Amino acid sequence: DTYGHLFPGQAAEAVVQLRQFLFPDNPHIVSGETPPKNQAQRQAQQTSMRQMGGVLNNLAAILGEAPATRGQALQYIDQAIEFGGERVDYLDTKGTILLQVGKVEAAVRLLQRAAALPNPDPRTLLHLAIAHLRLQQTERMAQVIRRLKNTSLPENLLSAQEKKWLSEIDSATERA
């Protein structure tokens, strides 16, 4: 299995089952074989791998919400990045998980890359702002908050943690 080394123990079996569920008609993905030789097959496999990255990103985001599963979430988001490349949503997910496990400086680096693109997801800006606050970089936090205020933050889509962070930022902003 080409990707078996990436998923130790039971996680490897879960990935095989996920491949079978998502790509039952693509034996190359299910078996984890080396990509096919012709261009059409390579393109189809690349598309499938990007889809697999999206599934792993979503799984990482869900697992990242609970402290007990954040280590596993980091493994899944790393795999999403390997499958789908360094996409903005993947960088945001990884940065957010790093923030939650206390690796704030690493989180800031990833979240800055994600936020540097035009029209970033407002939640990425929220995550970056709280990371700056954790590092006591209040001026940088304020710059990100100014950008955030020019967006439409979908408060009804925020997780419980994101709502707490927004409240924390509001309190810090009032004190400044």
Side-chain angles (χ1 to χ4, degrees):
D1 184 332
T2 303
Y3 301 102
H5 69 285
L6 302 174
F7 300 96
Q10 293 178 317
E13 179 59 28
V15 169
V16 169
Q17 291 175 4
L18 182 61
R19 288 180 189 150
Q20 289 170 340
F21 177 74
L22 294 173
F23 313 109
D25 299 325
N26 190 330
H28 298 289
I29 297 293
V30 172
S31 68
E33 292 176 7
T34 303
K37 299 296 181 202
N38 76 47
Q39 183 66 23
Q41 288 176 321
R42 270 196 307 275
Q43 287 176 337
Q45 186 156 5
Q46 287 171 350
T47 299
S48 296
M49 298 308 269
R50 280 192 299 275
Q51 291 170 340
M52 181 74 123
V55 169
L56 290 167
N57 178 60
N58 291 340
L59 181 58
I62 291 166
L63 292 173
E65 291 291 322
T69 54
R70 288 184 182 140
Q72 189 176 16
L74 283 170
Q75 291 175 351
Y76 285 127
I77 191 58
D78 285 340
Q79 297 314 307
I81 292 168
E82 182 157 332
F83 283 125
E86 289 196 355
R87 294 175 25 159
V88 173
D89 50 341
Y90 299 178
L91 294 175
D92 179 58
T93 298
K94 185 170 182 175
T96 302
I97 296 167
L98 288 171
L99 174 63
Q100 292 173 312
V101 298
K103 296 182 178 180
V104 183
E105 291 173 356
V108 166
R109 286 191 298 274
L110 288 173
L111 293 168
Q112 283 176 328
R113 286 176 29 209
L117 296 171
N119 304 314
D121 183 321
R123 291 171 295 186
T124 300
L125 297 175
L126 172 62
H127 303 157
L128 180 57
I130 196 69
H132 282 307
L133 181 60
R134 293 282 185 271
L135 293 175
Q136 299 179 346
Q137 299 171 337
T138 53
E139 182 52 41
R140 288 184 181 172
M141 180 199 72
Q143 290 170 353
V144 174
I145 293 301
R146 284 191 289 276
R147 282 184 65 197
L148 182 59
K149 289 183 178 182
N150 291 325
T151 68
S152 298
L153 183 65
E155 291 190 36
N156 60 323
L157 299 179
L158 296 179
S159 70
Q161 182 62 59
E162 288 170 327
K163 289 177 183 176
K164 288 178 186 175
W165 286 341
L166 188 57
S167 176
E168 190 176 335
I169 288 168
D170 287 343
S171 294
T173 305
E174 289 173 7
R175 287 191 304 260

